[in-house]
Amino acid sequence: MKKGLFITFEGADGCGKTTQMNLLKDFLVKKGYDVVVTREPGGKGLGEKIREILLNYDGEVSDRCESFLFLADRAQNIDVIINPAMEQGKIVLCDRHTDSTAAYQGYGRGLDIKQINYLNHLATAGKKPDLTLVFDIDTETSMERVGKDKDRMESVGIEFQKRVRNGYLELAKKEPERIQVIDASKSIEEIHRYVLETIQKYID
Ligand code: TYD
């Protein structure tokens, strides 16, 4: 069976990961690789419907309900997009994945990390990214980048975003092999070069 490669892009809101994911995608496609891009929440179809609720619903949402919606979307993304692409030997780039739930619902909202790890495990049926890039930048700068037009998650507040950022750094300490932290305060070109250096050994 073909192996495929699964890379996830993580970081607090406004860290610039989506720009970098798209640059990497263009690079890999030019090199002739078969690349599939997806995102969480979202992806396609039902995932986009769940995304709509998660980012725009303006009534009360409990922290646990929020977690389960992210996890439901993840299960769909794994089953419908990620695993089928991997089985065909493709490179899958995913904008946010399991570490977002650990950082936002765990470190950010304060839910139990062990439980979140277990729920993530159920949602992914045990699949793990081969590589995770965490784009790290100070919270004041990232919030400035987000600007005034904030969705439900971005509106929680600056202290929440700081906990999320620190959460990612903690996660990276726990899994240094899989999670690479990238200084996202540099220019787009510099960060792109660093991303290319980091992924090189995975595509060789
Ligand atoms: P999105 O617009 O995709 O944010 P970004 O462009 O910064 O990636 O919105 C996703 C939001 O949902 C973002 O604020 C992070 C949050 N989120 C969680 O809280 N938990 C999760 O498990 C995931 C996947 C995302």
Side-chain angles (χ1 to χ4, degrees), residues 106-169:
Y107 289 93
R109 299 277 196 211
L111 298 183
D112 186 271
I113 287 287
K114 272 202 191 125
Q115 283 185 9
I116 285 182
N117 289 343
Y118 179 60
L119 292 169
N120 264 331
H121 182 77
L122 292 180
T124 59
K127 169 147 237 102
K128 281 206 138 198
D130 297 297
L131 171 67
T132 295
L133 304 175
V134 166
F135 294 84
D136 181 60
I137 188 162
D138 74 88
T139 308
E140 279 73 17
T141 311
S142 58
M143 281 293 92
E144 237 167 66
R145 283 188 191 169
V146 168
K148 286 207 178 86
D149 192 15
K150 293 183 171 62
D151 63 36
R152 195 178 67 83
M153 295 304 297
E154 289 160 350
S155 306
V156 179
I158 195 149
E159 288 310 316
F160 175 75
Q161 290 289 335
K162 283 185 182 167
R163 289 198 297 279
V164 169
R165 180 194 181 194
N166 290 331
Y168 275 118
L169 297 177

Side-chain angles (χ1 to χ4, degrees), residues 39-52:
R39 68 173 173 178
E40 293 179 15
K44 64 177 183 187
L46 177 62
E48 287 298 328
K49 297 256 179 214
I50 301 175
R51 179 184 175 87
E52 183 62 28

Side-chain angles (χ1 to χ4, degrees), residues 61-106:
V61 183
S62 87
D63 292 351
R64 287 186 330 113
C65 171
E66 178 182 283
S67 303
F68 279 110
L69 286 171
F70 281 118
L71 290 156
D73 165 72
R74 179 154 310 129
Q76 175 83 356
N77 198 24
I78 282 278
D79 291 347
V80 173
I81 300 176
I82 297 172
N83 278 345
M86 297 283 288
E87 277 159 22
Q88 292 169 16
K90 295 182 180 173
I91 298 180
V92 177
L93 307 181
C94 186
D95 194 343
R96 296 197 181 283
H97 190 59
T98 45
D99 299 300
S100 282
T101 314
Y104 281 78
Q105 281 64 49

